[in-house]
Amino acid sequence: MPDVYAFGMIAPSTLVVLEDDYPPPAGYAEIAGVHHSIGGEAACGAYVLARLGVGTSLDGTWLGADQSSARALEILTKAGVDCSAISRAGETVTEIVISSGAERTVFGTYRKLAEDRAWNDPSEESIRSSRIVCLDPFLAGASEQAARWCRDAGTPYVTVDAPPDSEIARHAGVVVISEEYATRESGITDPQEVLASYTERSQGLVIATRGSEPLLYGRRDGQPREYAPFSVDVRDTTGAGDSFRAGIIYGMLNRYNDEELIRTGAAVAALVCERFPGVLNSPTEGELSEFLAHQP
């Protein structure tokens, strides 16, 4: 059985690359290229893990019978992701990413997906047989059920952007909170406050990311620590957060301590950001090792 069970968002994605900066309202921008890719936190995380040599199975939202869904499945399968649980049961999510180098804007139909509840139930058997679960909190009761089965089975899970008082965040082995999510949902912009709002409730490691700014991490009753991301020539930030979580999971599988986990997640994200398209060219295990060997 695969080491990791990834449950959550899965979507085909179209990446539109601009030659210059994103235009102002009523402006114009020249398109440099259009690329077919994958979207959704679980899908991107599963892909990056598979590229790192981790046996990973993927489950969650439905795909359709359309060509874009078929391309997404082909991309994932070629990377080594076990896609046998994915259902092609209806209309898939539309995701379009507009990228202008270091910045990107995502357009999609994820709200409609949530309204239709267009996803599978999690697999208790897969959760019990996996070493770690990569869990998206966005599939309502299905995500909550997956978290409960993880606790029952003693299988640690890593999640992202869940409310601090939610069952999913409180019982996660690791919860990663982005600055964008914290600002949007709570209005809190101070990373120390964000971290504290989670560590006082959470049992595991909490990581508050801030894009290219130093992140904060810590645990309940411990002192928060800061970690500066690696400096790279950024070409594509799409999927950087998903890649960071994949790096954390890779480190957990190798029994790294907290600092080593953060360093590994940051390295995977950095390598994705300096490549294009980033996620589709995420590092292999050898490339990750070589990158880290040359960093102080």
Side-chain angles (χ1 to χ4, degrees):
M1 293 294 291
D3 286 325
V4 175
Y5 174 63
F7 182 79
M9 292 292 189
I10 309 164
S13 182
T14 301
L15 177 62
V16 179
V17 184
L18 305 181
E19 281 192 2
D20 300 304
D21 293 339
Y22 201 87
Y28 174 81
E30 193 75 12
I31 294 176
V34 179
H35 305 267
H36 299 297
S37 187
I38 52 173
E41 290 85 349
C44 290
Y47 181 92
V48 174
L49 283 165
R51 290 267 297 171
L52 287 168
V54 176
T56 306
S57 63
L58 179 61
D59 194 2
T61 54
W62 300 341
L63 292 179
D66 55 292
Q67 187 176 11
S68 62
S69 293
R71 278 195 296 260
L73 279 174
E74 181 180 10
I75 290 170
L76 289 161
T77 301
K78 280 187 175 181
V81 178
D82 179 357
C83 297
S84 59
I86 297 175
S87 297
R88 302 185 70 178
E91 183 179 353
T92 189
V93 170
T94 297
E95 180 184 281
I96 299 174
V97 180
I98 310 295
S99 174
S100 57
E103 297 182 353
R104 56 101 177 97
T105 304
V106 182
F107 301 86
T109 58
Y110 287 102
R111 184 180 301 168
K112 184 179 185 303
L113 177 143
E115 292 170 351
D116 295 342
R117 293 183 174 266
W119 50 70
N120 290 340
D121 290 329
S123 166
E124 183 177 7
E125 179 183 355
S126 295
I127 287 171
R128 291 187 177 278
S129 61
S130 298
R131 293 175 60 192
I132 297 176
V133 170
C134 177
L135 177 61
D136 289 352
F138 315 119
L139 307 191
S143 295
E144 294 169 358
Q145 180 62 73
R148 286 192 293 270
W149 279 335
C150 284
R151 297 201 301 274
D152 292 345
T155 304
Y157 64 90
V158 181
T159 194
V160 295
D161 291 348
D165 58 351
S166 68
E167 290 288 323
I168 291 178
R170 295 208 316 265
H171 296 283
V174 180
V175 57
V176 183
I177 305 301
S178 67
E179 182 179 44
E180 183 273 333
Y181 172 82
T183 302
R184 183 182 73 244
E185 295 299 319
S186 66
I188 300 175
T189 57
D190 183 347
Q192 294 276 1
E193 290 185 38
V194 173
L195 191 73
S197 69
Y198 282 86
T199 54
E200 67 185 14
R201 298 175 172 92
S202 300
Q203 297 181 358
L205 176 65
V206 179
I207 307 169
T209 62
R210 304 167 60 208
S212 61
E213 297 297 316
L215 60 81
L216 291 180
Y217 66 99
R219 294 179 181 268
R220 183 188 299 176
D221 300 327
Q223 291 296 317
R225 302 184 68 181
E226 188 175 81
Y227 191 93
F230 294 103
S231 178
V232 295
D233 182 14
V234 176
R235 298 185 63 198
D236 182 19
T237 61
T238 308
D242 305 329
S243 302
F244 177 82
R245 177 170 58 159
I248 294 293
I249 293 172
Y250 174 83
M252 292 172 68
L253 290 168
N254 286 282
R255 303 184 185 281
Y256 293 168
N257 62 33
D258 287 354
E259 185 175 358
E260 292 169 329
L261 290 180
I262 301 297
R263 186 169 188 261
T264 303
V268 175
L271 285 166
V272 165
C273 285
E274 72 175 5
R275 300 175 178 188
F276 184 86
V279 168
L280 297 189
N281 291 292
S282 62
T284 63
E285 188 173 35
E287 290 170 339
L288 174 62
S289 297
E290 182 178 2
F291 178 84
L292 287 171
H294 289 84
Q295 300 300 322

